[in-house]
Amino acid sequence: MDMRRIVAVLAEEAEQQIQEGVWELAPSDRALARKAEAGLRDAVGPPDVQESLPQIDRLEHLRETLAVLAVSLARTHGRLAWFLSGAINALEPVLRWRALPAGHGGTFGTVSPTPDEYTEAEEAVRRLQDALAQITAP
């Protein structure tokens, strides 16, 4: 399953749990989710902006999204933590990517992603941004 699909499934589950009253965000979780959503939007912009960047910058922005999610995860528990953990897991392939040529020696298991893989990850982040905005809406 690709990153976009994993995030879509997470978003659908979150929306369902909120609609059914299973997940009621506490005010502190709502604020944290809004902060995470803003951080993701700051890191990964619209497709035309991201696709015009050099690959090294695109990778940097995707790694920033993982940092935003990790910090948010560290500050919460329960369903929001589970949701954020699932999002981090979905974007995990980004951790093995590199934008620089290998040169001599090993690469510690990293791989050079294709342009389509960058796009897939960025689209997954945008879907995650939308999901966080939706679950925190009044």
Side-chain angles (χ1 to χ4, degrees):
M1 194 178 315
D2 74 18
M3 288 180 256
R4 290 173 294 216
R5 183 68 191 133
I6 295 168
V7 170
V9 168
L10 286 170
E12 290 166 10
E13 183 178 352
E15 291 164 13
Q16 181 180 5
Q17 287 186 18
I18 290 169
Q19 286 176 355
E20 293 174 355
V22 174
W23 182 9
E24 293 184 29
L25 272 80
S28 60
D29 279 346
R30 192 173 301 279
L32 182 62
R34 281 191 197 113
K35 187 174 180 177
E37 185 259 338
L40 295 179
R41 286 198 193 279
D42 286 345
V44 173
D48 58 328
V49 172
Q50 289 302 123
E51 291 172 8
S52 69
L53 296 173
Q55 287 187 353
I56 197 164
D57 292 335
R58 290 176 82 178
L59 181 55
E60 180 182 316
H61 291 196
L62 288 167
R63 288 178 178 161
E64 285 177 25
T65 66
L66 287 163
V68 167
L69 293 169
V71 168
S72 299
L73 174 61
R75 295 182 175 155
T76 191
H77 302 282
R79 292 187 192 279
L80 182 57
W82 305 338
F83 177 80
L84 295 172
S85 176
I88 292 168
N89 188 53
L91 295 169
E92 182 271 335
V94 171
L95 295 173
R96 293 187 310 272
W97 292 357
R98 63 180 160 79
L100 299 175
H104 297 292
T107 64
F108 302 98
T110 60
V111 296
S112 296
T114 66
D116 287 342
E117 288 173 314
Y118 279 110
T119 299
E120 175 190 334
E122 291 160 352
E123 288 173 356
V125 170
R126 286 186 202 95
R127 178 63 177 103
L128 188 56
Q129 294 166 357
D130 293 343
L132 286 166
Q134 189 168 23
I135 66 175
T136 59

